[in-house]
Amino acid sequence: MLLSRYEWVIAKRYLLPGKGEGFIFLVASISLVAVMLGVAALIVVMSVMNGFRAELFDKIVGLNGHAVIQGYGGRLPDWRELLDETRETEGVVSASPLIEQPLLTTFNGRVEAVLVRGMLVPDILNNDTLDGKTVAGDLARLEPGAGRVGIGSRLATTLGAQVGSQITVINPQGRTTPFGTVPREISYEVAAIFEVGVYDYDKAFVIMPMEDAQTLLLLGDQIGMIELKTIDPENVGNILEPLLPKVAERGVITDWKSMNASLFETLQVERVVMFVILSIIILVAVFNILSSLIMLVRAKTRDIAILRTMGATRASLTRIFVVVGTSIGSLGIVAGIILGLIAIYFRQNVINFVQMLTGQNLWDPSIRFLTELPARTDPMEVLGIAMLALLFSFLATLYPAYKAASTDPVQVLRYE
């Protein structure tokens, strides 16, 4: 909005408190702080919700792929031919054989439910989710037939195991004897302990070479599934459609959307709800701008009448008060963005500090899946929040500006 020089002078004058206008300035300051807090809260919450979705997607999809071809009965025979056909499908980046089976493990008398995951050694070493997440030992020590495994950090803590410990994995479907089925028990050395940051994985995963998993589960040369990654996770269904006829007789294709539908839909609903609720907070904050401008117009009625007699137009007065109100809102928006980004940067420190003061665990990984509070700020989303707050601030100025422009100098100055 372009203002003339005198309009800028008057607008700046009205932004500062005059004699007897301390209360109006206080209300305007409260308005600025309220807008700042509303914008900061909205940026922090939206960034955290984005971070949740991104972290869960990266780690869940990183270990489970964008889709899996799962054999009927948990077994996929003649899988090498299907694996080659899958890799040749347009849009498929990688395809890896995989065995995954819930079993039991024991160490020093402690028994825990685990999820045994058999992978080819190159796939283990090149997995982006596992890369750099080893906290002890080395996944490179995993070799077919060597009797070594990698386990999650929380599973290691629960069992009391460490690198070099011998844990026993129990397969209930063991050998059949005249007295019944005897569970199959095989001891493995813990070669590595990893922490991917997802509680459910860190407390249950036991990773071993695929050949060892086949021996443990008595699968022979069969596998359980083929894990796929595509060029576009959001379009995974269309990419894998040509594979459906080839897989139909042997298994089913399940993509990441189906496997984690409830989780990601819940996050999306919470994201929308939080955005609406916090937008209402900003709306309430700009009502303070409306209140302060109304009081300012009433306090400056005589000044406005004099300006009108000196030739100031209605449009000029409208612009002045619109600029005053939007300036308050703009300062609050800028301060809110700065405060929000600072809060995001120090988010984990804030949580740790509050936990120290209250003695309460505010971030239980067993409930919230992730070990740390994630955040991912979207610049376009921040811009959208700023524009929304600026729009609310602008709308709040229209009524006071209209009242100022409608001032009748004759009525005001009649008895002066």
Side-chain angles (χ1 to χ4, degrees):
M1 181 179 293
L2 297 177
L3 299 184
S4 64
R5 184 175 180 183
Y6 92 90
E7 290 171 349
W8 272 115
V9 171
I10 296 172
K12 288 189 289 185
R13 174 67 186 83
Y14 284 176
L15 280 171
L16 299 173
K19 185 177 180 180
E21 297 172 359
F23 183 72
I24 299 175
F25 180 73
L26 175 63
V27 174
S29 300
I30 293 173
S31 305
L32 188 151
V33 172
V35 172
M36 176 188 71
L37 294 177
V39 169
L42 192 51
I43 290 174
V44 170
V45 169
M46 297 308 293
S47 296
V48 169
M49 296 304 294
N50 289 341
F52 256 112
R53 189 184 189 282
E55 286 292 314
L56 287 173
F57 180 84
D58 290 344
K59 290 175 179 178
I60 291 176
V61 173
L63 279 176
N64 296 325
H66 299 158
V68 294
I69 301 173
Q70 192 162 13
Y72 294 126
R75 299 196 175 198
L76 197 62
D78 303 325
W79 56 272
R80 287 184 173 83
E81 179 185 353
L82 181 58
L83 182 64
D84 293 336
E85 292 176 345
T86 302
R87 288 172 174 170
E88 293 170 359
T89 303
E90 184 177 357
V92 175
V93 176
S94 66
S96 307
L98 182 67
I99 296 171
E100 199 168 82
Q101 182 70 34
L103 297 175
L104 296 173
T105 188
T106 179
F107 177 72
N108 282 348
R110 300 178 183 178
V111 180
E112 290 292 328
V114 296
L115 189 63
V116 171
R117 188 180 180 90
M119 305 169 64
L120 295 176
V121 172
D123 292 336
I124 296 175
L125 300 180
N126 296 325
N127 188 284
D128 293 335
T129 304
L130 294 173
D131 185 30
K133 299 300 191 300
T134 304
V135 296
D138 189 356
L139 288 172
R141 295 186 61 213
L142 300 183
E143 299 175 0
R148 301 191 188 103
V149 297
I151 65 175
S153 58
R154 295 188 179 275
L155 176 60
T157 301
T158 304
L159 291 173
Q162 55 188 347
V163 173
S165 299
Q166 293 284 334
I167 64 172
T168 301
V169 179
I170 304 171
N171 177 13
Q173 298 179 350
R175 65 182 185 275
T176 302
T177 69
F179 301 100
T181 301
V182 178
R184 185 176 179 81
E185 300 182 10
I186 300 180
S187 294
Y188 297 95
E189 177 189 349
V190 177
I193 298 174
F194 57 85
E195 183 173 331
V196 299
V198 178
Y199 181 83
D200 286 356
Y201 292 167
D202 292 333
K203 76 169 185 177
F205 264 21
V206 173
I207 294 178
M208 64 176 62
M210 190 177 70
E211 295 82 353
D212 291 356
Q214 289 174 327
T215 302
L216 172 65
L217 298 171
L218 304 174
L219 292 177
D221 190 42
Q222 300 180 91
I223 62 172
M225 63 189 76
I226 296 176
E227 176 190 272
L228 310 174
K229 290 187 179 180
T230 63
I231 57 175
D232 183 8
E234 298 294 339
N235 196 33
V236 63
N238 293 331
I239 293 174
L240 299 181
E241 190 172 355
L243 279 174
L244 293 177
K246 303 174 183 178
V247 177
E249 296 181 358
R250 287 182 278 186
V252 294
I253 299 178
T254 308
D255 61 32
W256 68 272
K257 295 180 181 179
S258 301
M259 290 186 285
N260 307 283
S262 59
L263 175 60
F264 286 102
E265 285 178 7
T266 300
L267 286 176
Q268 184 62 24
V269 170
E270 288 184 354
R271 187 172 179 273
V272 173
V273 171
M274 294 304 296
F275 182 84
V276 172
I277 292 174
L278 293 174
S279 296
I280 294 175
I281 293 177
I282 296 178
L283 184 60
V284 172
V286 300
F287 272 108
N288 288 327
I289 297 178
L290 174 64
S291 302
S292 63
L293 285 181
I294 290 175
M295 288 189 292
L296 181 62
V297 169
R298 291 183 63 85
K300 297 294 184 181
T301 300
R302 184 172 178 276
D303 293 355
I304 293 170
I306 294 173
L307 288 172
R308 291 283 285 118
T309 60
M310 294 175 65
T313 63
R314 294 177 183 273
S316 178
L317 290 170
T318 300
R319 288 194 295 269
I320 289 172
F321 282 92
V322 168
V323 166
V324 171
T326 52
S327 296
I328 296 173
S330 299
L331 290 173
I333 292 168
V334 172
I337 292 174
I338 295 173
L339 178 62
L341 295 178
I342 292 174
I344 291 170
Y345 184 80
F346 292 104
R347 62 190 182 280
Q348 197 61 43
N349 302 76
V350 173
I351 291 177
N352 294 339
F353 178 71
V354 175
Q355 288 182 155
M356 182 182 68
L357 288 180
T358 62
Q360 299 295 320
N361 184 7
L362 302 180
W363 193 261
D364 186 353
S366 63
I367 298 175
R368 307 185 189 276
F369 295 101
L370 303 178
T371 54
E372 290 188 354
L373 177 66
R376 186 167 297 187
T377 304
D378 183 354
M380 295 305 297
E381 200 166 65
V382 173
L383 179 61
I385 292 170
M387 295 304 296
L388 177 66
L390 188 61
L391 175 63
F392 285 167
S393 300
F394 170 74
L395 294 176
T397 66
L398 294 183
Y399 176 73
Y402 167 76
K403 294 296 291 183
S406 301
T407 300
D408 185 354
V410 176
Q411 294 293 330
V412 175
L413 300 177
R414 175 178 293 178
Y415 302 106
E416 292 293 331

